[in-house]
Amino acid sequence: MEKEYITLITALGAPFLVLIGGLITWFFKSRKEELQAIEERALERRIQTYNTLLHPLIVMFANKSNQKMKDKAITEIGSVEYRKAGFNLITFGSDEMVTAYNNMMQSFYKNESESNPKLTMKKFAQFLLSVRKDVYNKNTKLKEWDMLKFMITDIEKLTD
């Protein structure tokens, strides 16, 4: 009689353990997929935010921009949409990203580009590097000035 109970428990126990193991695996897999989907949506939102913040800056630093385009970019920086993107950055960006953005904007507000253009460019480069780290590669080997080499022909004058 005792052997029959052990056989019955063994016969019912194995499928029960398989069922429990399957449920646990399914739970963790679905949770992982849910977290990945949330992270992908957050990444898309950060990219959209960074694009909004970068657009007027790109226009201002472009060689082919005329004064009308630059004035429009400056107006864009004061717009509600731009401010909203700034709030999104503060909310969803990394600490490094927020610090770099704040430092760059303070430089613009204080008009440091007139007295110290090198410092202003460095803060802009730090902001670009922070975007890169926040969106693509936290372990990048690039430095601040590497982010501006493509757009400044005589960058050696700034980096010396």
Side-chain angles (χ1 to χ4, degrees):
M1 184 87 166
E2 189 175 303
K3 283 186 175 184
E4 291 175 6
Y5 284 125
I6 292 175
T7 304
L8 182 62
I9 290 172
T10 305
L12 294 176
F16 181 73
L17 289 176
V18 169
L19 175 67
I20 295 297
L23 287 173
I24 291 171
T25 302
W26 171 80
F27 173 77
F28 284 118
K29 182 181 178 197
S30 66
R31 182 72 178 142
K32 181 182 175 186
E33 289 171 355
E34 181 183 339
L35 291 173
Q36 282 179 321
I38 290 169
E39 180 60 32
E40 287 174 15
R41 285 193 304 272
L43 178 62
E44 289 173 15
R45 186 172 192 144
R46 286 196 314 264
I47 290 171
Q48 181 184 19
T49 297
Y50 301 155
N51 282 334
T52 301
L53 294 172
L54 284 170
H55 180 263
L57 301 173
I58 292 167
V59 171
M60 287 174 35
F61 286 111
N63 287 338
K64 302 288 183 187
S65 295
N66 59 34
Q67 191 58 44
K68 184 177 179 182
M69 291 172 71
K70 289 181 181 185
D71 289 344
K72 185 177 177 186
I74 290 169
T75 302
E76 188 176 334
I77 289 174
S79 72
V80 172
E81 181 182 328
Y82 195 85
R83 295 296 178 164
K84 183 178 176 185
F87 277 101
N88 285 338
L89 178 135
I90 301 299
T91 305
F92 301 111
S94 67
D95 290 353
E96 181 182 349
M97 185 74 226
V98 171
T99 300
Y101 178 72
N102 286 340
N103 289 340
M104 179 189 68
M105 292 306 290
Q106 284 299 309
S107 181
F108 292 153
Y109 294 146
K110 294 173 183 174
N111 207 16
E112 287 179 352
S113 61
E114 298 295 322
S115 61
N116 194 346
K118 180 179 177 179
L119 181 61
T120 301
M121 292 301 287
K122 185 170 184 170
K123 288 179 181 180
F124 178 58
Q126 287 170 336
F127 174 66
L128 292 175
L129 185 59
S130 295
V131 169
R132 178 179 171 81
K133 287 179 179 180
D134 203 38
V135 173
Y136 298 109
N137 186 356
K138 292 180 187 340
N139 299 318
T140 185
K141 303 282 188 256
L142 296 176
K143 303 294 180 216
E144 289 96 358
W145 294 116
D146 294 329
M147 303 306 294
L148 299 178
K149 283 183 178 178
F150 78 99
M151 62 186 251
I152 301 174
T153 56
D154 56 350
I155 197 162
E156 298 80 26
K157 292 178 182 176
L158 292 172
T159 59
D160 291 336

